[in-house]
């Protein structure tokens, strides 16, 4: 490097990639800038130039000067191997300019600190890095040490995990060829360990999010659901808050879509079956909701995923971030997969609920285009990632086709019914207003939930109630049991003795047939 090279570098004044100091008397501030360069886009740190006048004055370089520089550079962690460049200043014989060039930071690298503090560049200014930014970079560098999903679950043990849910996932994975068949007979704890959902023999936060029945230690295992009147949030028609694990929330969200989006149907020429569909493709909505639940920042305790249905659109808001490797403007282009919660994503991939290789966005768009629906849009406001689906038609809820009006217990009418994520109990809804929650209204959505949560053997009334998470017998009888009897979904063990103290109930053959067909569609 020559003095002419120095002149060319400083011609444009200080910037995000250039820091000028008059002498090594400002060595400490210079190292703050060096750390900032390493954590941002890299740049030049040059001593021997007056920042305001840009005069190249240089300085005397002695053994003490070199020793001071070496000691200052030792304060950067992790250690960074760099040699200073000494350039003679012709106008000041004996003086030298001291220049350093630092490489920029790349996603996945460890963040740098100087004397224990991280710095970064904000335009031409050196700043202490915000804690959230620093922690995100630590997480990216060593996810297994810093990721929320890898920490031991607090207040959740193996007995709190829904074993039926886990077995359901294992069965799906075996059927999909992603899990060896031996997993069906292996201890569940061993399978969870292979999925990295245990640490030191106890479930992780990730395991709790996916499978725990005990969600009380986690206030943010929730989903906010709202149907607004019009195109803003001034007035709502329906407002709920549900809680549960991953599968509970997924089921609740899908049920809400079916409640508030328009349903249409037609008889297809090929199969002579009634093909029913929502105005926004079920496959796209489900994929978007799965992505929100899997990739959200669960460590942010005070934030909640939300679904908002307006007259003209549907929005899913997720407390999270876009991977830095994927600019939001390029989100629709082909890209690799960068899951925020790697272990959860891997478990969902193995059980066929999630695809790898970053194909989720493509499949959402593909489902919309197949149905002639406008492509959804994505945006990030610094705290939430939003995916927005345009509604093709603007119709009021009073004119929409209710899901309950289209449920049949034969395969002829099941194409649009949403199946729970596994063959287990649906979500326990907890309304956030005084209105009657969706689950307790007498519609065939409840019949559907009961069918999908029952096994094929005889069950007592208490067992049926447990399936759908209810303890109030009159409510269960009114909204689930009696409607199921009326449509022939369940039958009695002692049909001639309805009040027999040993009475039990099971699914009818038509209900079993419907359930089997519907699960194949999910």
């Amino acid at each position: 490097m020559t003095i002419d090279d120095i002149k060319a570098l400083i011609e444009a004044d200080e910037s995000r990639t250039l820091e000028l100091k008059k002498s090594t008397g400002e060595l400490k501030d210079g190292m703050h800038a060096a750390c900032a360069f390493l954590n941002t886009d890299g740049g030049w740190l040059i001593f021997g130039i007056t920042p305001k006048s840009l005069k190249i004055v240089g300085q005397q370089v002695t053994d003490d000067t070199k020793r001071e520089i070496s000691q200052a550079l030792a304060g950067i962690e992790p250690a960074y191997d760099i040699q200073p460049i000494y350039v003679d200043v012709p106008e000041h014989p004996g003086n030298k300019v001291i220049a350093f060039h630092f490489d920029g930071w790349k996603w996945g690298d460890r963040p740098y600190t100087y004397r224990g503090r991280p710095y970064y560049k904000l335009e031409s200014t050196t700043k202490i890095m915000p804690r959230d930014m620093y922690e995100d970079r630590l997480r990216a560098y060593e996810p297994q040490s810093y990721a929320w999903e890898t920490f031991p679950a607090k207040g959740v043990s193996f007995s709190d995990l829904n074993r039926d849910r886990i077995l359901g996932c294992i069965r799906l994975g075996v059927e999909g060829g992603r899990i060896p068949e031996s997993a069906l007979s292996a201890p569940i704890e061993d399978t969870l360990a292979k999925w990295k959902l245990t640490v030191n023999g106890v479930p992780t936060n990730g395991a709790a999010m996916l499978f725990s029945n005990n969600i009380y230690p986690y206030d943010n295992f929730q989903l906010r659901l709202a149907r607004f009147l019009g195109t803003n949030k001034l007035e709502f028609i329906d407002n709920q808050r549900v809680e549960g694990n991953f599968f509970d929330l997924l089921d609740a969200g899908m049920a809400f879509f079916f409640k508030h989006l328009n349903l249409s149907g037609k008889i297809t020429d090929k199969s002579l079956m009634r093909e029913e569909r929502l105005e926004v493709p079920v496959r796209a909505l489900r994929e978007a909701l799965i992505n929100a639940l899997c990739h959200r920042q669960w460590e942010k305790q005070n934030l909640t995923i939300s679904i908002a249905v307006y007259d003209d659109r549907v929005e899913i808001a997720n407390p999270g971030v876009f991977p830095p490797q994927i600019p939001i403007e390029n989100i629709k282009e082909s890209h690799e997969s960068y899951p925020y919660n790697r272990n959860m994503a891997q478990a969902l991939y193995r059980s066929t609920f999630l695809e790898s290789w970053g194909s989720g966005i493509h499949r959402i768009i593909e489902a919309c285009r197949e149905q002639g629906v406008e492509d959804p849009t994505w945006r990030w406001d610094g705290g939430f990632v939003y995916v927005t689906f345009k509604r093709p038609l603007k119709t009021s809820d009073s004119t929409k086709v209710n899901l309950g009006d289209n449920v049949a217990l034969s395969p002829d009418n099941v194409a649009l019914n949403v199946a729970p994520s596994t063959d287990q109990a649906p979500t326990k809804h907890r309304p956030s207003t005084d209105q009657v929650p969706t689950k307790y209204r007498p519609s065939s959505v409840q019949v559907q939930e009961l069918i999908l949560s029952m096994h094929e053997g005889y069950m007592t009334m208490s067992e049926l109630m447990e399936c759908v998470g209810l303890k109030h017998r009159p409510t269960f009888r009114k909204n689930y049991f009696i409607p199921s009897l009326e449509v022939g979904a369940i039958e009695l063990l002692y049909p001639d003795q309805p009040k027999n103290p040993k009475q039990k109930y099971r699914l009818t053959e038509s209900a079993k047939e419907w359930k089997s067909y519907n699960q194949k569609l999910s």
Side-chain angles (χ1 to χ4, degrees), residues 57-351:
V57 295
Q59 71 171 72
Q60 293 290 313
V61 177
T62 65
D63 289 341
D64 287 342
T65 305
K66 294 180 179 180
R67 184 165 51 253
E68 289 171 358
I69 291 174
S70 177
Q71 291 173 348
L73 289 170
I76 296 177
E77 292 184 357
Y80 187 76
D81 185 16
I82 186 171
Q83 295 297 322
I85 302 170
Y86 299 103
V87 180
D88 292 326
V89 182
E91 292 83 357
H92 300 275
N95 282 9
K96 298 179 183 293
V97 167
I98 308 169
F100 301 85
H101 182 264
F102 296 90
D103 295 323
W105 183 81
K106 295 179 180 179
W107 184 257
D109 289 349
R110 180 177 172 183
Y112 286 86
T113 62
Y114 179 70
R115 304 299 185 199
R117 283 191 169 187
Y119 296 86
Y120 79 118
K121 278 288 186 180
L122 185 61
E123 299 303 330
S124 62
T125 306
T126 298
K127 297 280 190 180
I128 296 177
M129 184 180 292
R131 181 173 179 175
D132 286 351
M133 181 187 293
Y134 182 67
E135 290 179 349
D136 283 347
R137 294 188 177 198
L138 280 177
R139 176 192 176 93
Y141 168 68
E142 197 173 354
Q144 297 307 311
S145 298
Y146 297 99
W148 170 90
E149 64 168 346
T150 64
F151 295 148
K154 295 181 179 179
V156 174
S157 64
F158 280 114
S159 63
D160 293 312
L161 302 185
N162 190 320
R163 299 178 73 85
D164 290 330
R165 292 277 194 194
I166 299 171
L167 288 171
C169 286
I170 293 173
R171 284 196 298 270
L172 289 172
V174 171
E175 292 171 3
R178 297 180 181 179
I179 298 176
E181 192 169 349
S182 60
L184 292 171
S185 57
I188 284 178
E189 292 77 6
D190 291 353
T191 299
L192 293 180
K194 290 180 180 179
W195 291 354
K196 298 182 180 179
L197 295 177
T198 65
V199 57
N200 298 326
V202 299
T204 62
N205 285 330
M209 201 300 105
L210 289 174
F211 301 115
S212 181
N213 289 326
N214 174 20
I215 54 90
Y216 294 106
Y218 300 92
D219 293 336
N220 61 339
F221 284 12
Q222 297 182 354
L223 186 64
R224 290 185 295 122
L225 309 166
R227 169 61 172 105
F228 294 100
L229 183 63
T231 59
N232 55 44
K233 295 182 177 180
L234 296 179
E235 183 178 354
F236 61 81
I237 300 171
D238 191 0
N239 187 22
Q240 302 178 39
R241 187 183 295 264
V242 296
E243 59 184 12
N245 59 39
F246 174 93
F247 298 100
D248 294 332
L249 299 180
L250 176 59
D251 291 343
M254 295 308 299
F256 193 78
F257 289 136
F258 273 93
K259 178 185 177 186
H260 288 293
L261 296 180
N262 295 308
L263 183 67
S264 62
K266 66 178 181 178
I267 302 297
T268 61
D269 294 334
K270 293 183 179 179
S271 63
L272 296 180
M273 290 175 58
R274 181 179 176 85
E275 180 182 287
E276 297 178 332
R277 64 187 186 183
L278 288 184
E279 57 184 285
V280 178
V282 173
R283 188 155 54 98
L285 292 169
R286 189 171 185 271
E287 184 74 28
L289 184 53
I290 286 175
N291 286 344
L293 291 166
C294 177
H295 302 313
R296 76 148 282 177
Q297 293 177 305
W298 289 105
E299 64 271 19
K300 294 187 175 179
Q301 298 289 333
N302 60 330
L303 302 178
T304 307
I305 298 174
S306 66
I307 293 174
V309 179
Y310 301 87
D311 285 356
D312 63 340
R313 67 193 187 279
V314 177
E315 285 186 350
I316 302 175
N318 164 34
V321 294
F322 272 102
Q325 304 93 326
I326 309 174
I328 191 168
E329 59 271 16
N330 299 333
I331 191 65
K332 295 183 180 182
E333 299 177 5
S334 178
H335 57 263
E336 294 295 322
S337 178
Y338 301 98
Y340 190 80
N341 300 297
R342 298 185 183 185
N343 297 342
M344 288 173 55
Q346 184 66 10
L348 291 170
Y349 167 75
R350 290 176 180 272
S351 55

Side-chain angles (χ1 to χ4, degrees), residues 332 364-366 368-369 372-378 388-390:
K332 295 183 180 182
I364 290 172
I365 294 173
E366 184 180 65
C368 290
R369 291 178 179 177
V373 175
E374 185 176 335
D375 286 2
T377 58
W378 284 263
T388 302
F389 297 89
K390 290 289 185 65

